[in-house]
Amino acid sequence: MLDQTFSTKNFIRLLSKHEIIKFQLGRNKQDYELAINLAIENTKLSKSSYPSMTYIQSGFFTKNTNKLLFSCSDLHLHLILKKISHNLKRLYKITPQSRGDISQQIFKLLESSSNYELIKIDISSFYESIPLNKLIRKIQEDRLLAKDSIEVLLALQTELESKYKIEGLPRGLSISPYLSEIYIRQLDFKIKMMPKVYYFARYVDDIFIIVSSGAKDTYNAILDELAKIGLNTNRKSQILSIPAISKKTQKNKRYTTTYLGYQYDITTNCFGEKRVINVQPSIAKIKKIKSKIMHTFLDYPFNKNKHLLLKRLQILSGNYPIYSPTVNSSIHDGKLKAGIFYSNPLVNQIGVFKELDIFVKKLLYTQKNNYVGRSIKMLRTEHNHIHTELEDIKYSFYDGFKSKRFHNIDQSVMTTIKSCWKGKV
């Protein structure tokens, strides 16, 4: 049976390395226990079973979407919300597919030489549109979540409504992704059962469907189901009809769609018995990489550390290990990999990485007088051989992808490297 209690023992099991740094919990398990127990004791002194919800704060707006992003400044409340998230995941058996698995499946299906139709739906203001009060009532009716956890959810609802006039889920808190999955899982089931749907995937608010025919009817049926639960789509939604490949099919025609960071160019050409699918990173993904490159240069005037700048470009253009998110787990600790290749393994149009190399070279020679231009001018003045140094193949995006160049870098160093991109891209 799942232990749902808010105990120090349960909190430590879920503790992440990031949280140890954020809340300054110390260097070992004894330090963590002491810090957590002190936070719990402070709550008891306030004669409450959990900390005040005033520790839930709307710090800033999310980049590009201009939506409120919430955070929690109290250690005890933060761990309580994380424990409830863990409980919901276990109780409702929430196991979302990985981005990589979904992308691999889509690529294989798109290679079919038969005709098919695509539906891509992006749900508008997903978290904000999910009514927290109705969701809590459903969870209460299910009788799976413990009473004290329900009380925390009710207090959170009251705080959001009274202070922020928000009736939806708070974007940024650890609990929201699990609550959203509980709310939308019935919709997932209904879509999968619709006639002619033979592939369905949803990653948070992005839905991708392949049907044999009748995409428009399926799309309208989905809109009706979304409306029943108070959700709407935005302008990114798309319907494509892909013809079967035969002697009569017009050759060299392309149909383009994007999903989870990939752009798929679906052709009317065949190689063997498979349709040719040209894959490259999406425009948004390339913009994100370029933004990280620019912030790498922008950070130079503040640290004057050329070695750190070069290391950041090396990591951006290469590959690196992923470490376990929790303290008490060695699962995938450095065994999984990310980076320019391992985050884009389906890409078969690799010229885009040469374009990134050209982008870096153009930045180095820029004469613009904006923030980036002035930062690079300072770098050139203080290190007049920087152009030559960056010509080394170890800074090449093209080579980093093609050769799967790998950097076995320590997690603490990686944290420093990523610091100038956090919250900016």
Side-chain angles (χ1 to χ4, degrees):
M1 182 178 289
L2 177 64
D3 179 3
Q4 297 190 43
T5 58
F6 301 142
S7 65
T8 301
K9 180 181 176 181
N10 284 337
F11 289 153
I12 288 179
R13 284 175 178 169
L14 300 175
L15 204 59
S16 74
K17 295 169 185 176
H18 170 73
E19 287 159 340
I20 291 170
I21 296 170
K22 177 183 176 181
F23 292 103
Q24 299 179 349
L25 302 185
R27 295 179 174 273
N28 53 51
K29 187 176 179 180
Q30 288 71 30
D31 289 344
Y32 312 154
E33 287 179 351
L34 183 63
I36 292 171
N37 285 332
L38 181 60
I40 293 173
E41 190 61 31
N42 287 337
T43 300
K44 289 178 180 178
L45 290 173
S46 67
K47 299 180 181 179
S48 171
S49 58
Y50 48 81
S52 169
M53 286 295 157
T54 57
Y55 289 113
I56 301 295
Q57 299 164 335
S58 167
F60 48 90
F61 290 89
T62 56
K63 185 177 174 63
N64 300 325
T65 62
N66 204 37
K67 291 183 172 67
L68 281 174
L69 190 65
F70 290 83
S71 61
C72 182
S73 60
D74 179 82
L75 171 62
H76 190 195
L77 181 56
H78 174 87
L79 293 174
I80 286 173
L81 292 176
K82 189 168 185 179
K83 176 57 179 167
I84 297 175
S85 301
H86 175 75
N87 293 343
L88 290 173
K89 180 181 179 181
R90 294 282 301 277
L91 294 169
Y92 286 88
K93 297 179 173 59
I94 299 170
T95 53
Q97 276 189 290
S98 72
R99 295 172 66 102
D101 289 344
I102 293 172
S103 298
Q104 185 72 38
Q105 291 167 3
I106 288 173
F107 178 72
K108 292 295 182 185
L109 289 167
L110 296 184
E111 286 185 313
S112 170
S113 59
S114 303
N115 66 293
Y116 53 82
E117 297 181 21
L118 308 179
I119 304 169
K120 193 180 73 168
I121 294 174
D122 193 346
I123 301 173
S124 177
S125 300
F126 183 49
Y127 285 169
E128 292 78 8
S129 300
I130 295 175
L132 182 54
N133 60 340
K134 290 183 180 180
L135 189 49
I136 293 174
R137 282 202 299 271
K138 173 188 166 32
I139 293 171
Q140 285 176 310
E141 291 167 2
D142 292 340
R143 297 181 180 275
L144 295 174
L145 193 65
K147 184 180 177 181
D148 54 352
S149 294
I150 296 288
E151 289 177 358
V152 173
L153 293 181
L154 289 169
L156 175 61
Q157 176 199 338
T158 301
E159 176 72 7
L160 291 171
E161 289 180 355
S162 62
K163 188 174 181 179
Y164 299 101
K165 311 303 178 187
I166 288 175
E167 296 181 354
L169 301 184
R171 190 177 293 266
L173 296 187
S174 60
I175 200 165
S176 294
Y178 299 100
L179 289 171
S180 69
E181 288 297 314
I182 295 169
Y183 186 76
I184 204 170
R185 63 180 3 181
Q186 190 61 30
L187 174 70
D188 291 350
F189 177 77
K190 288 181 178 180
I191 295 175
K192 289 176 184 178
M193 293 298 104
M194 287 181 178
K196 300 178 181 178
V197 171
Y198 67 85
Y199 179 78
F200 166 83
R202 179 182 57 80
Y203 191 84
V204 190
D205 55 356
D206 290 334
I207 296 172
F208 194 96
I209 299 165
I210 303 178
V211 296
S212 54
S213 61
K216 186 65 177 176
D217 291 338
T218 302
Y219 176 74
N220 288 333
I222 294 170
L223 292 189
D224 289 341
E225 293 297 335
L226 283 167
K228 289 177 184 177
I229 58 174
L231 300 179
N232 296 294
T233 65
N234 60 29
R235 295 178 182 177
K236 295 178 183 178
S237 298
Q238 180 187 37
I239 297 176
L240 280 179
S241 181
I242 312 299
I245 296 175
S246 67
K247 292 180 180 179
K248 296 180 180 179
T249 307
Q250 182 182 346
K251 299 300 179 184
N252 300 318
K253 195 168 182 180
R254 298 189 178 198
Y255 304 83
T256 300
T257 190
T258 59
Y259 194 65
L260 300 185
Y262 285 109
Q263 176 179 304
Y264 300 94
D265 290 327
I266 306 163
T267 76
T268 50
N269 300 325
C270 258
F271 184 77
E273 296 182 355
K274 294 181 179 180
R275 186 188 299 269
V276 175
I277 308 293
N278 297 325
V279 187
Q280 60 185 356
S282 65
I283 292 173
K285 200 170 192 179
I286 292 298
K287 283 183 177 179
K288 189 173 182 179
I289 295 171
K290 288 181 176 179
S291 181
K292 286 184 177 181
I293 292 169
M294 287 192 288
H295 279 289
T296 295
F297 286 111
L298 278 168
D299 199 52
Y300 175 77
F302 298 99
N303 58 59
K304 296 293 187 73
N305 189 333
K306 185 193 74 170
H307 174 75
L308 179 58
L309 180 143
L310 292 176
K311 182 60 72 174
R312 282 171 171 161
L313 291 175
Q314 196 174 15
I315 289 300
L316 277 176
S317 62
N319 303 280
Y320 47 86
I322 299 176
Y323 292 93
S324 175
T326 56
V327 173
N328 300 301
S329 173
S330 59
I331 298 172
H332 77 247
D333 215 14
K335 295 176 183 178
L336 290 184
K337 300 171 183 177
I340 202 66
F341 174 81
Y342 293 101
S343 298
N344 303 283
L346 296 181
V347 170
N348 55 25
Q349 302 298 297
I350 63 176
V352 66
F353 300 116
K354 285 186 177 179
E355 293 174 13
L356 287 173
D357 289 337
I358 293 170
F359 177 76
V360 174
K361 289 180 181 178
K362 285 183 176 179
L363 275 180
L364 282 172
Y365 287 98
T366 186
Q367 297 301 316
K368 292 182 179 179
N369 197 35
N370 54 20
Y371 286 120
V372 178
R374 290 195 291 272
S375 298
I376 292 173
K377 184 178 180 181
M378 180 185 294
L379 176 66
R380 290 197 305 247
T381 301
E382 296 177 357
H383 305 281
N384 55 10
H385 295 297
I386 189 67
H387 309 81
T388 306
E389 290 184 69
L390 283 175
E391 285 177 3
D392 192 300
I393 199 168
K394 65 185 177 184
Y395 303 112
S396 166
F397 286 86
Y398 180 79
D399 180 74
F401 181 88
K402 193 173 181 181
S403 69
K404 304 179 188 178
R405 187 177 65 245
F406 189 77
H407 306 286
N408 199 3
I409 193 163
D410 182 79
Q411 188 179 14
S412 60
V413 177
M414 183 62 77
T415 301
T416 302
I417 287 171
K418 290 183 174 182
S419 61
C420 75
W421 308 323
K422 188 176 180 181
K424 300 171 184 174
V425 292

